[in-house]
Every structure is written in C-alpha cells, then in structure tokens.
Amino acid sequence: MIFLDAAATTPVRREVLEAMWPYLSGEFGNPSSHHSLGEAAADALAGARAAVAKVLGCRPGEVTFTSGGTEADNLALKGIALARRGADPALDRVAISAIEHPAVEESADYLRRVHGFTVDVVPVDRHGLVTPEAFAAALRPETALASIMYANNEVGTVQPVRELAALAAARGIPFHTDAVQAAGWLPLGVKDLGVDALSISGHKLGAPKGSGVLFAKGRLRIEPLVHGGGQERGRRSGTENVAGAVALATALTLAAEEQPRLAARVTELRDAFIRAVLEAVPGAVLTGHPAQRLPSVASFCFPGTSGESVLLELERRGVVCSSGSACAAGSDAPSPVLLALGLEAEVAQTAVRFSFTSAVTANELEQAAAAVRDAVGSVIGIGRR
Ligand code: PLP
C-alpha cells in the first residue's frame, strides 16, 4: 500500500515509542504524587515541556499540554476570547479565516451562539491566501482575538503568518495560529512568527493520537475549559498524559532537527508529482497556492468525477489518500474550504488530497501518479457508460 494520507495522521515513530514506553510501564507515576514514582513522572513532564519550549523558542511555562490539536484550538479560541471579554466587556468579536479547521471554526461559532460574540470571517483569494488587506479590514477595536491557520489541511496553502501577526500586534489584538499541519514542515519559532498562541497536534508528527500543545504567551490570560485539580498551571486540569507529552516532545524535537533537509526533499517530490498528475489527467486542477504550500500536500479536483469514486479506484490500485479532509470524509457536501476558494460546488465535489510523510519516495509517487491516471480514467469511463 502507498500511504498518501499523512495530513490525516501518521504512524508513531520508533524513537517516539521508545521514549514514551517507560512512562506507560515502570515509571507509571502520577506527576502530582509526593513519592519517587510521582517525582520521576513530574521530571519527565518538565523535560517534555522544556523540549517543546526549546523548539518553539518560548518559556516552558508558556506550554500547555492538551489532548490534541482540537483541544488546543478550543482552548485558544474560547479561553483567550472569554478571558479578554471578562476583563473588558467591549471585546466581543473574534476574527478567523474562511478556511479554518472545524476545531477553530466551530469554537468561534460556539462563542457566537452561546456567548454573543460576533465572528468576522476573513475571505481568502482563489489560492486560499488571506491577504494582509483583507485581514486588516476585519480587525476592529472590539476584536478580542484573531486566529488564522499557518497551513491549510485540505489544500496546503501556507499563510503569511508573520505579516498577519504583525498587523494584529499593531492593534493590540492577540493572534493565534493553528500550526497543526505546519508542524514538522515549517519553522515554528513563535518570536520570529510574532504569534501570541499556537496549536500543535502530536499525531501529525509521529506521536500518538490524543497528544497536543497550546503555546500561549505568558501575559495572556486564558479561561480554562476543563476544571479540576489545577494541573497545567490551572489552564487544563486533569492528570497529565505524561507518556503523550514525552512522545510529542520527542517527535517535535526530531522533526525540528530534520525539517530543513526533509522539507526541501519532499517539496521537490511534491512538485514532480503535481506535474505528473497534471500531465496524465487532462482537465485536472491543482487546488491551493502553486508555490506557497506545504511540502507534503498535493491537492486536485478532477472535474467529471466524484472525489469518493476516485478514492475507491485509487485504493483498488494500492494508493490510500483522502477526498478533502479526514474530518469531512464521508460527507457528501462539498468542502467549505474549496467553496471559499471560489470553486463551483460541482468541481469541489471532485477533490482528492494526497499528503506525504517525510519517508515518501520518488518511486511511490511515480506509481501513484500512474494510479491517478487509471483511476480517473476508470471513473470517467464508468460515468459515460
Ligand atoms: N487543525 C488542523 C489544521 C488539522 O488538520 C487538524 C486535524 O486534522 C486539527 C486541527 C485537529 O487536530 P487533532 O486531530 O489532534 O484533534
């Protein structure tokens, strides 16, 4: 099987499994316990926090471990917006892009439905880019928080986060970015990016599902979502997932070391794959930005097909990928992300996303491009019969 669905999830890396194993077995203590087992667990958690902080270029106290990217996004959106409005009732708006992951989009909608916030949705251009002009136009004196994803999970477009964060900072508005897809592929230094908050998910990086991080700048107040024993400096109660934190820290550290080399290699393979698919399938459309895109994502529409049928035909030929995002998989509705890029609903329904791990090879992608040609040919043939 050729696995081209890494944006949905990745296998746990051996080094990560080995690093986390002691905290699932012999060193199984609760970090809050006042005995040697508890202290060993607390030390491991502190080590993981310091390692994540090193990659992000922040202080360890600014790192909150969560149960994944979804929780990190929820904590950022709800936690920051509610804390800021608590301090100043006039701050009752949030700004997000039109192509956010549901973890951000639904959190913003919750703020609207339940807490009376207004959500300002920043449009994107046909490549999925948020322009600085459109972003600046959405920022108001009442904006409690702006959240623009670093890289999109369906089309791979990478946003000009530095520039956008600077626009928010100039207005005193905290800026959050969902870096779940960017982590492992793009630089994550939070000072250089100029962001106030950033979300990461472990399972996109070779750590297990159910591990994540929210970076939030020290001075930012966050209203917790989960109440209890006050772990994670009161930001996220609940006995810590020590093994998960160690796993995420290990995966993130390895990814940061490998990132420049692997990103360059995979970008070349991605571009060759895009050329091969566009040549092999007449009428195929590359979605997202032609250059400002994740090294690991090639996404297309194949007009005249249905994305789901192409997926089935590809799987019969040994290639596993996804129609749009895993979260929307199985739904017949065209992807809101593709509609926001201005694609017709009929075309958006024909989307297929190929996403690569860093281990992908030229040979696999050559085989995959041939499988795409045959799969699309077969679906169109079936349609004509
Ligand atoms: N944000 C983006 C951009 C994602 O792609 C995903 C997962 O696909 C998430 C957030 C959610 O992360 P998790 O699966 O860890 O909850």
Side-chain angles (χ1 to χ4, degrees), residues 7-8 67-71 73 101 103 149 151-153 178 180-181 200-204 210-211 326-327:
S67 68
T70 298
E71 188 189 330
D73 284 343
H101 186 273
M149 71 201 318
N152 181 264
N153 47 303
D178 173 340
V180 166
Q181 293 293 340
I200 293 175
S201 169
H203 75 105
K204 313 286 183 179
S211 59
C327 309

Side-chain angles (χ1 to χ4, degrees), residues 124-200:
V124 293
D125 71 11
R126 69 193 177 93
H127 293 133
L129 272 184
V130 172
T131 64
E133 297 72 33
F135 181 60
L139 300 177
R140 313 270 193 109
E142 304 81 33
T143 307
L145 174 71
S147 179
I148 306 287
M149 71 201 318
Y150 197 165
N152 181 264
N153 47 303
E154 289 185 44
V155 295
T157 299
V158 176
Q159 302 298 343
V161 165
R162 262 178 217 88
E163 212 175 328
L164 302 179
L167 287 170
R171 292 160 177 77
I173 299 169
F175 184 93
H176 164 255
T177 193
D178 173 340
V180 166
Q181 293 293 340
W185 296 108
L186 302 175
L188 291 178
V190 292
K191 290 206 180 78
D192 182 44
L193 290 172
V195 300
D196 300 288
L198 176 144
S199 307
I200 293 175

Side-chain angles (χ1 to χ4, degrees), residues 6 56 65 96 118 167 209 240 245 261 267 278 320 374 383:
L56 301 183
F65 287 109
I96 63 170
T118 298
L167 287 170
K209 295 158 189 64
E240 301 89 337
R261 181 175 52 83
T267 298
L278 293 179
V320 176
D374 296 347

Side-chain angles (χ1 to χ4, degrees), residues 91 222 252 377:
L91 296 173
I222 299 193
L252 192 64

